[in-house]
Amino acid sequence: MAFSENLQFIRAQAGVTQEQLAEQLDVSRQSVSKWEGGQSFPEMDTLLRICDLYDVNLDTLLRGSVEESRVEDTARYDQFMTRFAKRIAFATGSIIAGVGLCGLLEARGVSEMLSGAFLLLVIAVCVVAIVASCIQHDIFCKRYPVIADFYTQEQKDAFHQKFVWYISGGVGAILFAVALLLLFFFVFPEQEPYESYGIALFLLIVAGAVTCFIYAGINDDKYNIAKYNRDNNPTPEARQRLNLIGTIQAAMMLLATAVYVGLGLTRDLWRTAWWIFAVAGILCGVVAVILDPYKGND
């Protein structure tokens, strides 16, 4: 393949336009258009910058085939993203499950101090796991800002079939949990420890459903290689908007954690204030949708 064809390929794989590539290289869009049309050739420092931006060998860029060199998952992207999805999903679900187990311990006669300590330990471990996983994800993205789309259409279709079951199964589980909770309240109205058992079981089922939702969502993003490449090679305007989204979301989750711990310590609402995290998660999603720099492009 010629340089012009290789440039078109890596730009398409990254999901960027000619104008966005021109901004990254500090050249005009017309220059990029001429390069891809074989009418002109970039200077050596620009070529080296292209190699750095899109993780491609100079010799391959000029005389080889970038497409053929990227037929395999050399960065082990699939393995990393699958592991990342599991950690985030299970850590988030475990926080909700911890609240349910805390109530179950109290219903079994364990003191509130011990059950509260257990819940704080679960939250601490899960938060550490989430933070560490996010840092590892950020490091991976910086090391591999561009990934070749090595997934076949059959692999994508196979996952999307599973995705439907993850989401529908999670929704079904939550509806079942609500029905089960109402049944407990009807059969054992205000009777302990049965009421606490019902709430604990409800939270455990919801924790499983939330785990499914998050795992399915992250894996769905995993197969969108163009979005991954675009997000890791944003324009200056898009990068500023993405940083703003991340800052707001981080502040929301920290505030939610502080409010939850505060209510737990001052009003003993460890078992009932868990909804704060659900509200914070929804608000984070709203912020991402409203401030999405690529709104309308997907």
Side-chain angles (χ1 to χ4, degrees), residues 67-79:
E67 184 175 6
E68 292 180 1
S69 68
R70 293 182 170 180
V71 295
E72 296 182 358
D73 182 14
T74 54
R76 295 186 178 180
Y77 167 85
D78 182 80
Q79 180 182 357

Side-chain angles (χ1 to χ4, degrees), residues 155-169:
Q155 289 175 312
K156 295 178 181 179
D157 292 341
F159 170 76
H160 288 146
Q161 291 179 1
K162 295 179 181 178
F163 179 79
V164 172
W165 287 105
Y166 277 123
I167 301 302
S168 59

